[in-house]
Amino acid sequence: MNIGFVNIFSFRPHVEHLNFLQAVLKKSGHDTFFLTCDSSVSNCYAQAIKGSRKLSECSKCIVGGVRSLAVKEITSISAGILYPDLTNQELDDIALSSSCTLNRTESEHEWGDADVLSVRKSLHKPILVTYRSTVKWVSDNKLDAVICFNGRMDMPRAVTYACESSGIPYITHERTWFGDGLNLIPNANCLSIKLLRDMVKEYDNKPLTAKQAQFAGRLIALRFLQKNTLEWRLYNKNAESIAWPVKSKARKVLVLPSSKNEFAGHEEWKTGWVDNTTALDDFFKVFSINTDDVVVRFHPNWAETIGKVSGERALNHYTQWAKSRGVHFISSEEKADTYDLIQQADIVVLNGGSSSVEAGACGKQVICLGPSSYDGAGFVRTFINKDDLYRHDALVDLSPEIIVKKTLRYVYLRAKRFPQYVDYVKAIKTTEYKYFDGANADRIINMFKTGLIKADDPCFSGNEEEESCVVNMLDKKQWALLSDYEDDNGISAPLSIQRRVGLRWIDGMRSKLARGDR
């Protein structure tokens, strides 16, 4: 097959991941072709998020991108290609997610704000240039399929849209939640959860083996111990334990909201609410929850600046809502330990955040207002719109034992089943990896042909006895014991995935930079 590779932004560690994928396919006899920006556009997500100058940002991107790899057949995006066209609506749709992320919007009402529209408009030309160049690149090289980083942001989305227009399959790749392996999503961007939901459904009632349960239990324990250093972001560092801050008369309700600006316009993430505070209002009313029993822990991310963009919108939005409803809130910058609050609560309410894992591991009643990656995993009650809150089973609690067990299975699925090449791509640090020989290219080729994902580890136990020991340890909150488990992979020979000779110093220099920098 003729397979194209695109990594518009040279973010760590994704260029290296792309290099691994092309090496696997090249070794199996497939022909590989590359498309890169080479400073061909006036604006992009990488420039806008940092507010950096074009010369500086583009120089770093070129040096850190596919030009530094020992590969041939590299094509530059070109502003001189004048066909085909995209409508203004298509350009807006492709730019929506980036424009919302670059402004960190919190409500759909903000999508039409002047500053959000201005950013969206500034991305129209770069998107069009990328789209046209990709269509020509696909045609000129008679490509059968494409692998592209991310696929959500402006230019990468233009690449995948061009693949759709050209009638060829594509796969988007991203870093995994727990570090090992690669997230490979056929014919959708990195936020797509359709195939994840399908796999969750397939393995929901399949018990874990003892080793699988121990591995998943360790990942959960590391989160409680704040030692989950291979995850991309570690929040609530140096947290302080606090008692439940209100005198609840009924069950204690902890709300842990997270922002969804990246998901703007994504079909699989749509809800019946314009924002999460509207969903919370409906939830409190239908479930007869008194706001005196509620504590809202604002997301620590809202106190951080990402690039040049602060979390002020989200912070102001939730602060105004909480004050107007008389809800006790813990602000983003406060050091209150979220995990302590989860263990004290009776009900934990989210809108897609990963703290569902901690809540589920503690056997809490977990509510999710909106789509999530754990839809159908059996430990969460999910409500997509107001009508869902009136379902006949909406108020029926789940068994704590089932919640813990299903949480454990879900974590294993996210760590060892859904990611691909888990035994061949091993995280040493968040941006540093080791690679191993023996990865089968057929896994990718079958994805192109079928549009489906098969579990990287399809094994399971014939009964629940093997996982029950870990379930009991979770129930007793034996985090230290659970974290002691060591996974013995028995991996094959190391595989060297490096840049061209003379440019390998780049990774040494970049390792000293903060995550997110090149």
Side-chain angles (χ1 to χ4, degrees):
M1 292 178 70
N2 290 343
I3 301 173
F5 295 84
V6 190
N7 198 322
I8 299 294
F9 308 125
S10 63
F11 299 148
R12 291 175 294 159
H14 310 293
V15 174
E16 191 173 273
H17 289 168
L18 189 81
N19 198 10
F20 167 79
L21 291 170
Q22 73 85 22
V24 170
L25 288 160
K26 190 79 173 175
K27 186 177 180 180
S28 293
H30 299 281
D31 292 321
T32 57
F33 302 81
F34 299 82
L35 181 70
T36 191
C37 177
D38 283 338
S39 190
S40 299
V41 297
S42 58
N43 188 29
C44 69
Y45 180 89
Q47 285 184 55
I49 192 69
K50 298 178 185 178
S52 53
R53 293 184 177 181
K54 178 176 170 63
L55 178 62
S56 169
E57 198 62 33
C58 291
S59 298
K60 289 187 289 184
C61 200
I62 292 170
V63 171
V66 297
R67 291 285 180 191
S68 67
L69 307 182
V71 297
K72 300 178 181 178
E73 302 295 342
I74 302 176
T75 300
S76 297
I77 288 171
S78 172
I81 301 169
L82 304 178
Y83 181 84
D85 278 326
L86 292 173
T87 66
N88 278 334
Q89 187 60 59
E90 287 174 310
L91 292 168
D92 259 1
D93 290 345
I94 292 171
L96 177 61
S97 178
S98 286
S99 67
C100 289
T101 305
L102 291 168
N103 287 279
R104 295 177 74 172
T105 59
E106 197 54 44
S107 169
E108 289 183 21
H109 290 310
E110 296 172 308
W111 294 2
D113 286 359
D115 49 353
V116 181
L117 288 173
S118 176
V119 170
R120 200 175 306 153
K121 184 70 174 176
S122 75
L123 295 171
H124 278 197
K125 184 63 181 297
I127 288 169
L128 185 59
V129 168
T130 305
Y131 174 80
R132 287 170 169 171
S133 295
T134 305
V135 170
K136 187 175 189 303
W137 173 64
V138 167
S139 175
D140 288 350
N141 295 287
K142 297 180 174 57
L143 298 184
D144 299 300
V146 167
I147 294 178
C148 178
F149 163 63
N150 184 274
R152 171 189 74 84
M153 296 175 282
D154 41 283
M155 293 174 69
R157 176 59 186 127
V159 170
T160 60
Y161 196 64
C163 292
E164 293 166 9
S165 300
S166 301
I168 65 168
Y170 62 90
I171 291 172
T172 57
H173 72 93
E174 256 285 6
R175 188 186 186 279
T176 64
W177 180 2
F178 295 108
D180 291 348
L182 299 173
N183 275 345
L184 302 178
I185 312 292
N187 304 317
N189 71 32
C190 61
L191 298 179
S192 176
I193 50 177
K194 180 184 180 300
L195 294 176
L196 174 59
R197 286 168 170 166
D198 291 344
M199 192 177 290
V200 165
K201 188 181 298 183
E202 181 182 356
Y203 284 91
D204 181 47
N205 290 315
K206 291 180 171 62
L208 299 176
T209 66
K211 284 188 174 181
Q212 290 173 336
Q214 289 168 343
F215 182 84
R218 178 177 182 273
L219 293 178
I220 292 170
L222 290 175
R223 287 175 69 87
F224 278 101
L225 296 172
Q226 288 279 288
K227 293 181 179 180
N228 51 327
T229 54
L230 294 181
E231 295 185 38
W232 185 248
R233 290 189 182 276
L234 186 61
Y235 294 114
N236 216 196
K237 296 178 184 177
N238 305 313
E240 300 170 357
S241 297
I242 65 167
W244 191 255
V246 298
K247 293 183 178 179
S248 299
K249 298 176 182 177
R251 293 201 290 182
K252 299 172 183 175
V253 179
L254 176 64
V255 178
L256 300 174
S258 54
S259 292
K260 287 288 178 288
N261 47 65
E262 293 181 1
F263 304 84
H266 199 299
E267 283 292 326
E268 296 171 35
W269 290 86
K270 285 187 176 179
T271 79
W273 296 291
V274 294
D275 55 53
N276 188 49
T277 52
T278 305
L280 288 168
D281 286 338
D282 288 340
F283 170 71
F284 292 160
K285 181 179 179 181
V286 175
F287 275 57
S288 300
I289 290 173
N290 192 315
T291 54
D292 292 341
D293 300 318
V294 177
V295 172
V296 181
R297 195 339 174 183
F298 292 176
H299 201 292
N301 173 269
W302 300 341
E304 297 179 358
T305 298
I306 300 176
K308 68 169 187 176
V309 188
S310 76
E312 186 177 355
R313 279 181 186 264
L315 205 53
N316 290 342
H317 180 82
Y318 276 92
T319 298
Q320 291 171 13
W321 170 81
K323 287 181 176 180
S324 67
R325 304 301 191 273
V327 174
H328 182 90
F329 66 91
I330 299 171
S331 196
S332 300
E333 67 279 3
E334 295 184 48
K335 290 293 184 180
D337 193 328
T338 303
Y339 300 146
D340 270 4
L341 291 168
I342 287 173
Q343 292 175 76
Q344 294 177 67
D346 299 302
I347 301 173
V348 179
V349 184
L350 307 103
N351 61 323
S354 65
S355 290
S356 61
V357 166
E358 287 82 4
C362 293
K364 304 299 180 179
Q365 297 301 312
V366 188
I367 304 293
C368 185
L369 301 176
S372 71
S373 60
Y374 36 83
D375 276 2
F379 67 96
V380 178
R381 279 179 281 168
T382 297
F383 305 99
I384 303 298
N385 52 51
K386 186 174 182 179
D387 289 343
D388 278 355
L389 296 170
Y390 292 95
R391 289 194 318 243
H392 72 280
D393 62 343
L395 301 176
V396 179
D397 283 354
L398 299 176
S399 158
E401 182 182 354
I402 290 176
I403 292 172
V404 175
K405 182 168 54 181
K406 294 297 181 76
T407 302
L408 190 68
R409 293 178 189 175
Y410 171 75
V411 169
Y412 188 78
L413 182 140
R414 291 299 306 273
K416 289 273 196 172
R417 298 197 199 279
F418 190 71
Q420 305 294 294
Y421 299 123
V422 173
D423 288 340
Y424 304 97
V425 180
K426 310 298 290 185
I428 307 304
K429 298 177 182 177
T430 50
T431 59
E432 183 180 338
Y433 282 74
K434 287 185 178 179
Y435 302 87
F436 297 87
D437 199 13
N440 192 337
D442 288 346
R443 183 168 288 271
I444 298 172
I445 301 304
N446 288 335
M447 265 193 211
F448 284 138
K449 291 179 178 178
T450 66
L452 300 176
I453 301 174
K454 288 189 176 181
D456 201 65
D457 177 10
C459 300
F460 55 92
S461 176
N463 59 66
E464 296 187 355
E465 292 179 10
E466 291 190 69
E467 68 185 2
S468 62
C469 177
V470 175
V471 170
N472 290 334
M473 292 172 74
L474 288 171
D475 186 55
K476 295 175 183 177
K477 300 177 176 55
Q478 295 177 323
W479 313 130
L481 282 175
L482 285 164
S483 69
D484 283 341
Y485 173 74
E486 292 186 10
D487 188 31
D488 182 17
N489 293 303
I491 297 300
S492 56
L495 177 67
S496 178
I497 299 294
Q498 293 183 311
R499 299 181 190 274
R500 287 191 283 116
V501 175
L503 289 175
R504 292 172 187 171
W505 58 269
I506 293 171
D507 293 312
M509 181 191 73
R510 297 204 316 175
S511 67
K512 296 178 173 61
L513 301 175
R515 276 180 273 177
D517 291 325
R518 294 202 175 84

